[in-house]
Amino acid sequence: VSRISNTVIEPDADAVCARSDAPLVELRHVDKHFGDLHVLRDINLTVRKGEVLVILGPSGSGKSTLCRTINRLEPIDSGEIIIDGQPLPEEGKDLTRLRAEVGMVFQSFNLFAHKSIVDNVTLAPRKVRHMSKEDATAEAMRLLASVGVADQAAKMPAQLSGGQQQRVAIARSLAMHPKVMLFDEPTSALDPEMISEVLDVMVDLAHQGMTMIVVTHEMGFARQAADRVVFMADGQIVEQGTPSEFFDHTTTDRAKEFLGKIL
Ligand code: ADP
Ligand code: MG
């Protein structure tokens, strides 16, 4: 297993905070429908600063929708979402700012295909944070080094492996100095031999104190890196606990059935 932990990921002094009781992300009574489908049912969830939350659950249980509501890629029907003490704004400028505070890495790499790797990372900091080209490039190179792909900076995304592209996607999110990083099945589209290089970067990020919400089927990562595991089914949080509580002392039939299929 390749380790990238000898490089230090330093997204931002503000982003890496010591784990504390301060809530960073709060969902209160969040409900959402897609037409007749009640996709999120009274979700109540608090993620503390520096906490690594892993969300597990069968396909269709609402995990991706939950992630997407946290940065308002999806509107909610009712309830509240509070990031670092601020309610999520409905629209406008504040929403742009807020999305910058909530980094998101998807299953598909979503790099801009017609921009070089370094330009992928500098684009948003230059546009949204109004950084100079020199400063943005210097920071991009530092972030690309921290995820082990600095030598790929001048290439185009298609010239990189899937694992390298996903590490660039993480660096690109970190360039906005997010307060929390959301990962929605970041390794599901990768060839098996590339999964660990991406998980290693995520483990490093967790060790740096980044607040993370991670949807994954990688149970090794959940056991190793999660502070808390949340199990969803049918749009509800059915069970939650520490990794050892959840995996070794599963209480609900739904979670037992799920673990029986995947372990
Ligand atoms: P998961 O990520 O846990 O697999 P999703 O959040 O993607 O689950 O989906 C939950 C449910 O919502 C599924 O039944 C899915 O088909 C449905 N769904 C997701 N997105 C939409 C959408 N944009 N419009 C209608 N239904 C959707
Ligand atoms: Mg999903």
Side-chain angles (χ1 to χ4, degrees):
V1 176
S2 75
R3 291 285 301 153
I4 306 170
S5 56
N6 52 339
T7 58
V8 178
I9 297 171
E10 288 180 274
D12 183 42
D14 293 338
V16 292
C17 11
R19 196 166 300 155
S20 74
D21 290 336
L24 188 59
V25 179
E26 283 182 88
L27 284 79
R28 295 183 189 157
H29 302 296
V30 169
D31 271 277
K32 178 175 180 64
H33 294 75
F34 284 121
D36 289 340
L37 179 69
H38 198 170
V39 63
L40 297 178
R41 300 170 183 247
D42 193 29
I43 299 288
N44 291 283
L45 188 64
T46 300
V47 186
R48 297 184 310 278
K49 280 193 174 122
E51 190 176 23
V52 178
L53 185 84
V54 166
I55 301 178
L56 303 177
S59 178
S61 55
K63 306 180 300 294
S64 293
T65 305
L66 181 64
C67 282
R68 292 166 59 82
T69 63
I70 293 173
N71 61 355
R72 283 275 153 103
L73 286 171
E74 293 282 358
I76 57 176
D77 298 339
S78 59
E80 271 185 297
I81 301 176
I82 297 160
I83 310 277
D84 205 13
Q86 304 285 321
L88 267 191
E90 289 294 336
E91 55 190 273
K93 235 183 174 169
D94 274 359
L95 190 52
T96 310
R97 172 190 61 75
L98 184 126
R99 283 203 182 127
E101 291 181 355
V102 181
M104 184 143 181
V105 175
F106 301 89
Q107 180 175 334
S108 51
F109 319 123
N110 292 119
L111 296 180
F112 304 115
H114 303 293
K115 295 202 176 289
S116 71
I117 295 304
V118 68
D119 287 349
N120 262 273
V121 181
T122 57
L123 190 70
R126 291 186 64 193
K127 281 205 167 155
V128 180
R129 297 178 59 214
H130 308 293
M131 284 178 81
S132 69
K133 187 173 186 183
E134 293 69 30
D135 289 351
T137 302
E139 179 163 38
M141 291 309 298
R142 186 175 64 73
L143 286 165
L144 289 170
S146 75
V147 300
V149 290
D151 53 345
Q152 311 295 316
K155 292 188 183 168
M156 301 300 282
Q159 295 175 279
L160 271 59
S161 72
Q164 290 173 321
Q165 288 187 53
Q166 197 62 312
R167 286 185 277 146
V168 173
I170 294 170
R172 185 176 61 174
S173 279
L174 293 175
M176 290 303 285
H177 299 198
K179 289 180 173 166
V180 52
M181 286 284 290
L182 307 178
F183 294 87
D184 189 2
E185 300 199 29
T187 60
S188 295
L190 295 177
D191 292 333
E193 72 272 19
M194 293 170 189
I195 290 174
S196 66
E197 67 191 51
V198 173
L199 292 178
D200 285 348
V201 166
M202 292 166 61
V203 167
D204 286 347
L205 205 48
H207 286 158
Q208 301 289 320
M210 178 60 80
T211 309
M212 295 165 58
I213 299 175
V214 183
V215 178
T216 185
H217 296 294
E218 294 294 329
M219 297 301 139
F221 175 84
R223 270 197 187 270
Q224 181 193 1
D227 295 301
R228 187 155 49 109
V229 173
V230 164
F231 174 74
M232 284 183 73
D234 298 328
Q236 283 177 301
I237 295 177
V238 171
E239 183 168 343
Q240 57 179 306
T242 64
S244 94
E245 282 167 356
F246 180 74
F247 289 111
D248 304 329
H249 305 282
T250 318
T251 56
T252 62
D253 289 341
R254 287 303 304 265
K256 283 179 191 167
E257 182 194 341
F258 173 77
L259 290 173
K261 281 182 187 151
I262 56 155
L263 290 179

